[in-house]
Every structure is written in structure tokens, then in C-alpha cells.
């Protein structure tokens, strides 16, 4: 489990992370989303002890990362796949990590096989690797200690479609075995497919948190009746705001029961009454971060 409480980071006058609190539970993949500059990477660096917080705490498995005994065996971390020694081979990179964390050398071959790096590729210098190969090596390093928790920042960068699907299956299986996954990515379609919970951050603060299904479920009701004008008036009289639709009927933020009671009180026969349905993650993301995005579309 990851528990973040009132995590704050200030760089002089800049408030990079502002009172962030959330949990990532075992057995679930938690998607950590936000536009560029929102504070995701800074928050993840604080969780893994690389950046000291100005205030607040981040605990992994009940303790700060640095207080864990041999944290490399408990927490697998990938924050920057480019931060690998270019002069070492892939196998040397993993062998050194295995030595430092006390992992048996047999794990090097096991994780290389898991991430799909061949013996020939593992014997090449990291400087010759493509971005996708660096990502696979970084994921291998995160898995090396057989951790209970994975913290991954943009792990799908550079992966081809087959690689992205492989990573999706890997994270699902890891969580299904009781592991905790915190995943940051700009690939919203992938987050939508793999995440169980979502935490959305904008300008350093949490703007939404909850299960994926709850957050993607569009609130409100669509209703159609034999006399939409009368039902419109009845809803407004009951304090329910409505929006007429060009094809007939209207939508409202009220739930179906509230609309049904208004129709009953007005003696109007309702012919269609349903939830407005679900929205996609991209729509939700843009809605929640519209005021926080650094890139603005000019007219």
C-alpha cells in the first residue's frame, strides 16, 4: 500500500505539489494522471525518497521509503528510463542492481525473459538501446527484487503496440497477485484499460480521486415524455435544472428518481428515463484539467 498525506513541495515561490493526499491499495492499479507540469513526477520522487517534501508524508508498506529495510526488495521504481549508465550492458546494469539489493543472479535472467530482452540485446551497451528497449530494461530493474509495490512513471514511452499490451498484462497480473501499482502515463487509453482507481492532479493539487467506474460515469439523467413542456415546467418548479435536446427530451444533473417524482407530481407520462451513460477518460481528463493545462489552444 502507498499512503500519501498532505504531501507538499515548494521551490521558493513555486508550489509544485500542494497538500496531496491519496492511497494506492494492494490488488489494484492506481492511475496517477495530470497535464505536464502538474506535479506528478515531483510527487513520485517524494514518495521514493529522491526529493524531500516541504511538508507532509508518503509511506509505502507503512513506512517512508528510506526507512524500509532494503527498499529495492520491497518497491520497484521506474521514474526515468533514460537514467541508465550508457556504457554498461543491459545485463551488467541488472547484475549490479542484484548485487546491491542481495538478489540472486538467477533473477537477472528471469526478468530479462519477462520483459522480452534477448540474450543478444542484454549483452549490448545501453547507449545502443532504443527508447523502448530502455523502458523494458527499466521495468526489468523494477521487477528484479520481486517487490510488493511498483511505482512507474511513463513506462509505456517508446513501446510499440505489442509492448504496450504486454505491459498492460504484466501490471494486471502483478495487481491480481496482491501487488500495489501506481502508474503515471499520458497514454489515457492505456490507463483507461488497466487502471482500477484514478487520481487526477492539476497544478499540484488533487482535482479528482476514486474508482475508474465512478469517475467515468457521467452524472445525470435523460428523460422523454408525452408532454416535455409540462415535465420541463414541473422539473423547474421542483428546482431541477434541465437542458432541452434537439431530438426531443432533455437532460438534467438530477438522478432518475428525482425526475420520476417530478413527473408523477405533474401527472406526466414518462416514455424514457435513463442514466446519461459513461464518458471516456480523455473527456474526463480534459474536463478536470482544463484550467491547469500548460498547453492552451489558441483560437
Amino acid at each position: 500500500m502507498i499512503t500519501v498525506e498532505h504531501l507538499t513541495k515548494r521551490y521558493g515561490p513555486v508550489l509544485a505539489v500542494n497538500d496531496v493526499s491519496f492511497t494506492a491499495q494492494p490488488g489494484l492499479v492506481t492511475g496517477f494522471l495530470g497535464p505536464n507540469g502538474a506535479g506528478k513526477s515531483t510527487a513520485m520522487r517524494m514518495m521514493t525518497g529522491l526529493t524531500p517534501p516541504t511538508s507532509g508524508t508518503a509511506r509505502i508498506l507503512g513506512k517512508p521509503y528510506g526507512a524500509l529495510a532494503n527498499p529495492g526488495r520491497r518497491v520497484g521504481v521506474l521514474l526515468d528510463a533514460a537514467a541508465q549508465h550508457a556504457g554498461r550492458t543491459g545485463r551488467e546494469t541488472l547484475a549490479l542492481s542484484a548485487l546491491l539489493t542481495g538478489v540472486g543472479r538467477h533473477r537477472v535472467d528471469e526478468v530479462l525473459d519477462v520483459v522480452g530482452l534477448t540474450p543478444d540485446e542484454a549483452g549490448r551497451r545501453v547507449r545502443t538501446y532504443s527508447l523502448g528497449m530502455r523502458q523494458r530494461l527499466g521495468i526489468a530493474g523494477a521487477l528484479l527484487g520481486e517487490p510488493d509495490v511498483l511505482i512507474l512513471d511513463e513506462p509505456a514511452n517508446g513501446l510499440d503496440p505489442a509492448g504496450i499490451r504486454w505491459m498492460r498484462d504484466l501490471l494486471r497480473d502483478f495487481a491480481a497477485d496482491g501487488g500495489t501499482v501506481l502508474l503515471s502515463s499520458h497514454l489515457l487509453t492505456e490507463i483507461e484499460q488497466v487502471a482500477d482507481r484514478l487520481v487526477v492532479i492539476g497544478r499540484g493539487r488533487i482535482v479528482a480521486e476514486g474508482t475508474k467506474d465512478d469517475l467515468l460515469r457521467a452524472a445525470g439523467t435523460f428523460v422523454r415524455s408525452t408532454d416535455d413542456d409540462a415535465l420541463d415546467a414541473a422539473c423547474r418548479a421542483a428546482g431541477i435544472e434541465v437542458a432541452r435536446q434537439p431530438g426531443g427530451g432533455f437532460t438534467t444533473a438530477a438522478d432518475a428518481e428525482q425526475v420520476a417524482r417530478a413527473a408523477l407530481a405533474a401527472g406526466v407520462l414518462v416514455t424514457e428515463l435513463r442514466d446519461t451513460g459513461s464518458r471516456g477518460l480523455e473527456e474526463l481528463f480534459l474536463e478536470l484539467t482544463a484550467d491547469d493545462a500548460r498547453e492552451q489552444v489558441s483560437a
Side-chain angles (χ1 to χ4, degrees), residues 13-198:
V14 178
L15 192 58
V17 176
N18 182 8
D19 196 31
V20 165
S21 298
F22 69 89
T23 60
Q25 301 282 350
L28 302 176
V29 177
T30 299
F32 192 36
L33 307 177
N36 290 335
K40 302 186 304 299
S41 294
T42 300
M44 296 174 93
R45 288 179 62 83
M46 287 191 284
M47 293 176 214
T48 53
L50 295 174
T51 297
T54 302
S55 61
T57 60
R59 291 183 172 83
I60 303 175
L61 302 171
K63 297 180 180 180
Y65 180 85
L68 293 169
N70 199 352
R73 297 292 299 269
R74 308 297 306 280
V75 187
V77 179
L78 174 59
L79 299 185
D80 184 359
Q84 297 164 345
H85 196 297
R88 295 194 182 105
T89 67
R91 181 179 296 280
E92 288 170 346
T93 298
L94 295 175
L96 179 59
S97 294
L99 179 65
L100 292 174
T101 56
V103 175
R105 290 290 294 269
H106 68 281
R107 278 295 291 169
V108 173
D109 289 325
E110 289 176 359
V111 295
L112 284 169
D113 184 60
V114 167
V115 302
L117 287 175
T118 67
D120 177 66
E121 291 168 336
R124 289 165 47 187
R125 303 291 177 187
V126 172
R127 69 166 62 94
T128 69
Y129 280 15
S130 66
L131 176 57
M133 291 173 66
R134 285 176 181 259
Q135 293 286 17
R136 289 177 181 269
L137 180 62
I139 295 170
L143 295 172
L144 188 64
E146 299 182 88
D148 304 300
V149 176
L150 288 177
I151 298 177
L152 308 175
D153 191 7
E154 303 290 348
N157 276 359
L159 294 180
D160 58 20
I164 292 173
R165 181 172 183 177
W166 157 78
M167 189 191 70
R168 185 196 313 154
D169 292 341
L170 173 74
L171 298 183
R172 282 176 175 162
D173 291 344
F174 185 88
D177 288 338
T180 301
V181 180
L182 182 66
L183 171 65
S184 171
S185 177
H186 285 103
L187 299 178
L188 298 182
T189 54
E190 289 309 310
I191 290 286
E192 186 168 0
Q193 291 190 60
V194 75
D196 303 292
R197 291 185 59 83
L198 300 173

